[in-house]
Amino acid sequence: MPIVPTDLFPREFSQITGIVYSKVKICFDVSCLAVTVFMTWTFLGHLKGLGVGTVLAAFTMGKVIGWIGGWMDRHVEFVSCMEKEEIKRKRPQNYAV
């Protein structure tokens, strides 16, 4: 599954630092929102186009993605197509590929 760059940075940062992904994602989204508000206000002089949904998404999407990611980790295993065939044969048969 392709990962967009705005999700790749928080995921890698979480793995490197050991901080829970949902917390990193929320901090990242809120900081991006703050930069957007600052730039929009500075360059346009108003906040037109920034709605309640955007603000709510910044504060909640990290937690939702964390829940869904946890569920997927328990039920699905993603395997690289570059993985060696011998490793695939050693995997138990009850894993979804």
Side-chain angles (χ1 to χ4, degrees):
M1 297 178 72
I3 300 175
V4 293
T6 56
D7 288 332
L8 188 60
F9 175 77
R11 187 176 309 262
E12 294 294 325
F13 188 81
S14 173
Q15 288 177 352
I16 292 169
T17 61
I19 301 172
V20 179
Y21 173 75
S22 59
K23 290 181 181 180
V24 173
K25 177 71 173 154
I26 290 170
C27 289
F28 180 76
D29 288 348
V30 170
S31 64
C32 287
L33 180 65
V35 169
T36 301
V37 167
F38 173 76
M39 290 178 69
T40 303
W41 185 262
T42 301
F43 295 115
L44 300 179
H46 56 81
L47 296 178
K48 186 176 182 181
L50 183 66
V52 175
T54 305
V55 175
L56 287 175
F59 283 97
T60 60
M61 286 307 294
K63 198 64 165 170
V64 172
I65 292 170
W67 288 335
I68 293 171
W71 180 86
M72 287 182 71
D73 287 343
R74 288 190 304 274
H75 293 89
V76 179
E77 178 183 4
F78 293 96
V79 179
S80 170
C81 63
M82 305 299 280
E83 189 175 297
K84 292 184 179 181
E85 198 62 38
E86 63 192 49
I87 296 173
K88 289 181 183 179
R89 279 188 247 124
K90 291 180 182 178
R91 184 173 294 116
Q93 295 301 319
N94 61 347
Y95 274 79
V97 178

